Amino acid sequence: MTPTRLLAWLGAALLAAQPAAPLYDIVLRNGRVLDPASGLDAVRTVAIAGRKIAAISPDPLRGRTEIDATGLVIAPGFIDLHSHGQTPENYRFKAMDGVTTALELEVGVSPVSDWYKAREGKSLIHFGASAGHIPARMAVMKDSGTLLPRDGAVNRAATADEQRAIEAAVRRDLDEGGLGMGMGIAYTPTATPDEILSLFSLAAGFKRPVFVHMRGGNVVASIQEVITDAAVTGVPLHIVHINSAATAKTPLALQMIDGARARGLDVTTEAYPYTASMTEIASAAYTGWEQREPEYFARLLWPATGERLTRESFERYRRQGGFVIQFGNTEEMVRAAIAHPLVMIASDGIIENGKGHPRGAGTFARVLGKYVREDRALSLMDAVRKASLLPAQRLESMSPAMRQKGRLAVAADADISVFDPARVIDKATFENAAQYSDGFRFVLVEGTFVVRDGRLQDGATPGQAIRAR
């Protein structure tokens, strides 16, 4: 054998002796990987084996399914802490908006075990809920409302026996894995400061956060109430939709939260990227409507018909019940909240039979398209961090499952959103909220495609229950 042939033979033998490169289930090739936990921002190939991320490499990898992600961003799946829409209809809008986990943490649910049982094995994306003070209070006080109270739990204070029954229900729901306690003080204005403080103490005993919609009216006093209750009980506190709760005083509200955090309190907050809010027209949010001036009603929109309201139509719809949209904020205040380093992104969204607020369908695409690409109010990495890592960190002390979400790292859950940064944008409007966002090309929930080539995947149910442990 000539030397040349011998070298060729030895090379072939050595190559044959080397182990074959692994064959992964799914490979996302050559995308811009953004991992807010490590700060990685580079072109990489991501490999998935089963439900987990198995490799992130600058080198080529092999997969049974290979996706060319050139020009696309590969990000952790988004986690929506404030999603009232917990139905298959809503989960489809969430998936098309890059969301892999949708949680009902403001209002919460009761009983918790029944709520989880109804969704297990049937969900497109991950789901979870807090132990809800509102639904517990409505049940005990025999309120006739649906999502929010409208009579019994609004019109009077709870008796001592009723308070004990409410706390017993919340305690049971925390025992059953509720993700902290949800509380909407604005919707139960007759709940006394003593009742609220006692419930904070209950949540503190479980070492779980309180997710609170603070009282209406005086913004400073409302923030002071919940921060004081958090300070004296030691409970972690999350104030929902700070832009909606504080409106023109959003910068002051953020300053107060920053100050509390600087002094060691565990306080977080969130915002959604729209200038209008939405709530139940029959709720306590509209107590005293009879004294309002006519121009007040013109700022209200009835999603079911798209009409602006008058005093007469408001009264009619208030008797009927349903959601109403209110234009009460400014773009300046929304931008201040979205851009603030502390603020997470959360939708406060719900779509029912194709009607609702655009935040139910387009929140995350709007942040990426308008506030990152168009307005440059924050960086792409910051937006991804606010939509994935920060929400995961808010929950991970009580829910170990969240330690593997909100990150792109080996051994993390393969909850992944792949989007086109030059194209991603919301399509939902106030007149037609039921429109899917544009630009999310692939969305995976624990390694299963729920969106592929920009289309929902029929029959996919990889969503898992997220509980406290």
Side-chain angles (χ1 to χ4, degrees), residues 125-144:
I125 61 176
H126 303 311
F127 56 93
S130 66
H133 170 239
I134 283 179
R137 199 172 202 268
M138 289 170 66
V140 168
M141 300 181 74
K142 300 186 170 42
D143 193 282
S144 66

Side-chain angles (χ1 to χ4, degrees), residues 117-167:
K117 190 181 300 181
R119 288 159 179 78
E120 289 179 329
K122 306 172 185 175
S123 180
L124 185 70
I125 61 176
H126 303 311
F127 56 93
S130 66
H133 170 239
I134 283 179
R137 199 172 202 268
M138 289 170 66
V140 168
M141 300 181 74
K142 300 186 170 42
D143 193 282
S144 66
T146 51
L147 177 66
L148 298 174
R150 61 183 298 168
D151 40 55
V154 173
N155 299 332
R156 63 179 180 85
T159 66
D161 286 345
E162 286 172 334
Q163 286 190 36
R164 283 190 287 271
I166 292 166
E167 289 192 18

